[in-house]
Amino acid sequence: MNVRRSAAVLAAVAVIGAATPAAADPSPSPSQAFPSALYGDKDPKFDGVWRQSLALLAQDTVGVKPAAKSVRWLVRQQCADGGFASYRPDPATACDAKTMLDTNATSAAVQALTALGGHDDTTGKAVDWLKSVQNEDGGWGYSPGGASDTNSTSIVIGALAAAGEKPDGVEKYGKSPYDALLKLALPCGGDGKGAFAFQPDKKGELAANADATAAGVLGVLGKGMVVEPGKRSDATCAKAATPQQAAANGASYLTSALAEDDNHLMSALAGAEPQPDYGNTADAVVALAARGDTAQAEKSVRWLEKNSASWAAQSGPAAYAQLILAAHATGTNPRDFGGADLVKQLNATGPAPQTAEKAKASDEKEDSGDFFGVWWYVGVCLVAGIGIGFLFTGRKKQRQL
C-alpha cells in the first residue's frame, strides 16, 4: 500500500478504549505543531493514524518495543463507536457526525495494536465497527458507505485475520469480502489480465491497477501487512473462481509488470511523467512473498535496496515501515538494507523506542525477589502511564492504490 494512499483516496472518495489512558498528550501549541508521540514531522491530517500504525507494526516485526506514549497516542485516536479517523488533533474531544471515519486507518490500527498485544478492548471495538459498515457486496470503501474498493476491502481482511476472525465468515447479506474482491479481478484475456482494479469506472468497467493488485493478492490470501513466505502454486492465469486462483492471477500480473521495468513498478498519475513507484514496489514484494513467488520478490527487494533511500527519507515513517515489511517478507536484513539501517532510520522519525536492553532490565528487576522494589517500580509505571501488557514476542503471522 502506497504511503500516499490515505490522502489520495480521501481526495478521490470525497468527490466521493482499550485501557483507560493514564495521561493525555497535550494539544499541539503554536510552538509544537504536532503531538510529540507522533511519528513523522509532516502534517498528519490525512495519514496520522496510518503512519503511526505502520511505524509501530514495523518496529514490533523487528523486535523493537515502541515508546509507550506512541502506542497510547494511537489508542486514544479511537472514537467511542470503535472507528478511527485519519487524524484527530484533540482526542479529548468526542467524535461526532462530522468526524470522517476511515476504514483504512481503523484496519491499520487493528493490525498494529493486535501485534503489540494488550489492547483487546480497542481492537475488538474496531473490528465490530468495521463489521457494522460492511457493504452489501461484502466489501468496504475508504469511508463508511463508499463503494467497495480493492485496497480498502483487502486491508480490512488483514485486520479481521489479525484479530482472529475468519474473513470468509464475515458476511453481509450472504456476501463475504472475498466475493467483493473476485468481482474486482480482471479476466485473463485482454489488457491487464489477472490484475485487480481499484473500483469499476463510471461505465462499470475494470482497469488494471498495480497498487490495487498488490493489495488484492494479500486480501484474497487472507493476509495482513506482515507476512512470511508462502507456498507457491501454479501462477498460470485462469478464471478466478476462487480466492486462491485470483491470488495466482494477480501475482502473475505483478511479476510481469515488475520484470518489464527492471524489477520495479512505475507510477501512472494523470498528468505526470511516469517515474519509479517505490511504495507500490515494496507492496508488490510483500504480496508476491506471501504467495511464495520469492524469485521476483527477491529481485525487486534488491532493486529497492539500491534505489529507495532518497524516497524513504523524503516520505518518512510509513515509507521506512513499508521497506522493513518488504525486507521481512523476503528474509532480508532491514538493519543492512543496501547499507542502510532501516530500523534506526524509522526509530529516528519519532520517540525513542523502549530498547530490548531496557525491557530485559525491567524483567530482571521484577524477578529479583525484592518485594518493595517490584511494587515501587509498578507504582511508578502506573503513575507515569507507561502502560502494561506489551508482548515482546514475535507476532503470530497470518496476513492495500
Side-chain angles (χ1 to χ4, degrees):
M1 185 185 312
N2 195 293
V3 296
R4 302 185 301 271
R5 78 169 316 282
S6 288
V9 177
L10 183 61
V13 176
V15 179
I16 58 158
T20 303
D25 288 332
S27 298
S29 65
S31 61
Q32 181 188 350
F34 310 124
S36 63
L38 182 64
Y39 278 81
D41 59 4
K42 295 182 180 179
D43 190 345
K45 182 177 181 180
F46 296 115
D47 74 339
V49 168
W50 176 259
R51 75 194 195 205
Q52 190 84 345
S53 298
L54 264 65
L56 301 181
L57 184 60
Q59 287 179 326
D60 178 79
T61 300
V62 296
V64 172
K65 192 171 184 179
K69 70 176 184 177
S70 292
V71 179
R72 187 169 64 247
W73 180 91
L74 180 59
V75 171
R76 296 186 69 240
Q77 286 288 302
Q78 187 176 43
C79 295
D81 63 2
F84 285 74
S86 299
Y87 173 66
R88 295 171 58 209
D90 183 9
T93 300
C95 303
D96 57 24
K98 295 181 180 180
T99 304
M100 296 183 65
L101 298 179
D102 173 348
T103 62
N104 291 236
T106 302
S107 298
V110 168
Q111 293 190 50
L113 294 173
T114 300
L116 292 170
H119 301 281
D120 290 352
D121 286 347
T122 301
T123 57
K125 288 171 59 179
V127 167
D128 288 344
W129 180 80
L130 288 168
K131 291 179 179 179
S132 75
V133 297
Q134 186 177 17
N135 290 332
E136 293 183 4
D137 62 3
W140 284 265
Y142 180 85
S143 299
S148 298
D149 67 76
T150 296
N151 296 68
S152 299
T153 301
S154 296
I155 193 170
V156 173
I157 288 175
L160 294 172
E165 299 275 349
K166 294 183 177 181
D168 58 352
V170 178
E171 298 182 338
K172 189 71 170 284
Y173 298 120
K175 299 292 185 181
S176 78
Y178 297 137
D179 293 316
L181 289 180
L182 291 179
K183 285 187 175 182
L184 292 166
L186 276 72
C188 291
D191 294 336
K193 61 180 184 180
F196 284 85
F198 173 62
Q199 285 177 329
D201 64 17
K202 294 181 179 179
K203 296 181 180 180
E205 297 179 353
L206 302 177
N209 183 292
D211 183 27
T213 303
V217 169
L218 282 180
V220 291
L221 289 174
K223 302 291 185 180
M225 292 184 279
V226 181
V227 305
E228 301 291 345
K231 184 177 181 180
R232 189 178 187 277
S233 60
D234 186 14
T236 302
C237 196
K239 183 178 179 180
T242 65
Q244 293 75 20
Q245 186 60 55
N249 294 352
S252 177
Y253 172 84
L254 288 174
T255 297
S256 297
L258 288 162
E260 182 179 342
D261 286 299
D262 189 29
N263 297 313
H264 67 277
L265 297 175
M266 297 292 289
S267 67
L269 297 177
E273 288 292 325
Q275 56 184 337
D277 194 327
Y278 307 94
N280 286 338
T281 298
D283 295 337
V285 167
V286 174
L288 290 174
R291 210 191 77 87
D293 296 286
T294 53
Q296 182 58 59
E298 289 172 359
K299 291 177 183 177
S300 294
V301 85
R302 299 287 89 80
W303 182 89
L304 287 168
E305 282 189 295
K306 295 177 182 178
N307 297 282
S308 63
S310 296
W311 165 75
Q314 181 178 17
S315 301
Y320 287 123
Q322 283 181 282
L323 294 175
I324 288 171
L325 297 178
H328 174 80
T330 56
T332 303
N333 184 359
R335 291 180 170 84
D336 185 12
F337 194 80
D341 187 338
L342 296 176
V343 179
K344 182 177 180 180
Q345 291 172 326
L346 171 61
N347 293 346
T349 67
Q354 303 177 60
T355 66
E357 289 77 16
K358 288 182 179 179
K360 181 179 180 180
S362 296
D363 292 340
E364 290 175 348
K365 185 172 183 178
E366 291 182 1
D367 292 337
S368 66
D370 183 344
F371 182 87
F372 175 80
V374 169
W375 287 104
W376 177 86
Y377 179 78
V378 170
V380 170
C381 287
L382 291 174
V383 172
I386 291 177
I388 59 174
F390 291 105
L391 297 180
F392 196 58
T393 60
R395 180 183 177 214
K396 292 182 179 178
K397 311 294 180 184
Q398 60 268 30
R399 182 186 168 271
Q400 201 170 135
L401 229 102

